[in-house]
Amino acid sequence: MLSDMKRNDRRNDFTKSKTHGLYRYNPTGHYFARIRFRGKLYRKKLETDDYDFARRKLADFRRDLERTDASKGNTSFGKVLDNYALTLFGAPSTLKDKRALIEKLKATYFGVDTLPLRTVKPSAVTAWLSKHCGDKSASYYNSALTVIRDALDMAVKDKVVLESPAKDLKYRRRDKPIRLTPTFEQFKQIVADVRSQTRNQESEQSGDFLEFIGLAGLGQAEVRGLRLADVDLDAGRMIAFRHKTRQGFAVPIFPQLRPLVEKLCKGKAHDKRLFEQRDAEKALHNACKRLGFPRFSHRSFRRMFITRALERGVDVKVIADWQGHRDGGKLILQTYSHVRPEHSNRMAQLMTTDEPDNVVPIAAQA
């Protein structure tokens, strides 16, 4: 009986207007559309309290419904996922992760291959995410939600459904991990230790690989893709390819890097890679273990490069260009500037009541 009273109260909150399908929500005065189309009831908040404007938005809503493809009305969620899988592109690791999530959805989502997509509700998507991704990391949860969103957004564009059931679902906030960053001295000790392992035939190559990452500030994927054709010693720059953004970008051959680049280029054919190996992870791990250092990664050396550049006063936008970023330095400021405070502390010492040395006083006029 109590539930019936609550239901009646909710009904009393709405007033039917003179226009069929248009209702006014009394507490706020805003209008809502309520239309039955091909046997299904659609509701939409029209975001206005103006009656004439609400009528125009209601007409637009009707036209959107009519533009859905009736021939695709029974398309299943599984078929939409299959169609989406055919459009995937990017780095091999990214493709592998997305395809694994698609297979997981198809194996565990109830009725994925039989129920029409129009019957999928936001609560059902949320329930699936909670059950199969709720105990995973925020990164995994967000990746699964991204796959679902992208697949359903494609279905909206194909007029399979009017709107995506996942459009209002929220991503989980990711924790900010403490990322290990070596000092420049630790970096040099690690490279020297790797090269000193003379019994290992790849010790010199592994040392070169790690030193290149630390002195160039590039990731392992960009470094292993470099060829002699990408290096212009006369112009003092290299062209690297960033797989995440699918774009090439220019990197200076820094003075600290030039001797190593010249060594790697010597005697190589024009289309030959600078490095034959894909990474030096094992050599790096063993060196850190021998030296009693934390377990640094290839990314740690890249962070060291960026942090060192910030501490030496290199402009953030310039560093972003060196990294192949297109955000003007926003990511650098958010991710790297807090790693070590030396640069900030040094800049803070400039904020005194004394005039800086580079200020020339202007003589007072008589």
Side-chain angles (χ1 to χ4, degrees), residues 190-200 203-204 290:
I190 291 170
V191 172
D193 183 84
V194 169
R195 287 204 172 106
S196 70
Q197 307 306 308
T198 54
R199 293 185 179 180
N200 185 346
S203 61
E204 188 66 21
R290 285 190 294 269

Side-chain angles (χ1 to χ4, degrees), residues 225-240:
L226 284 171
R227 300 176 183 272
L228 183 62
D230 300 320
V231 180
D232 189 337
L233 288 169
D234 294 332
R237 69 173 190 175
M238 306 174 292
I239 302 299

Side-chain angles (χ1 to χ4, degrees), residues 246-286:
R246 312 293 297 174
Q247 290 182 334
F249 60 99
V251 182
I253 300 177
F254 308 106
Q256 63 183 15
L257 180 63
R258 178 170 278 271
L260 179 59
V261 173
E262 291 176 345
K263 168 190 168 183
L264 293 168
C265 291
K266 190 174 181 180
K268 282 191 170 66
H270 186 68
D271 62 343
K272 191 74 172 176
R273 292 184 185 273
L274 296 191
F275 295 97
E276 296 297 330
Q277 63 195 92
R278 295 179 59 83
D279 60 59
E281 186 174 353
K282 185 176 180 180
L284 174 57
H285 170 59
N286 290 336

Side-chain angles (χ1 to χ4, degrees), residues 139-153:
S139 177
Y140 184 89
Y141 182 97
N142 294 343
S143 295
L145 178 53
T146 295
V147 166
I148 294 172
R149 272 188 164 179
D150 289 349
L152 294 178
D153 285 347

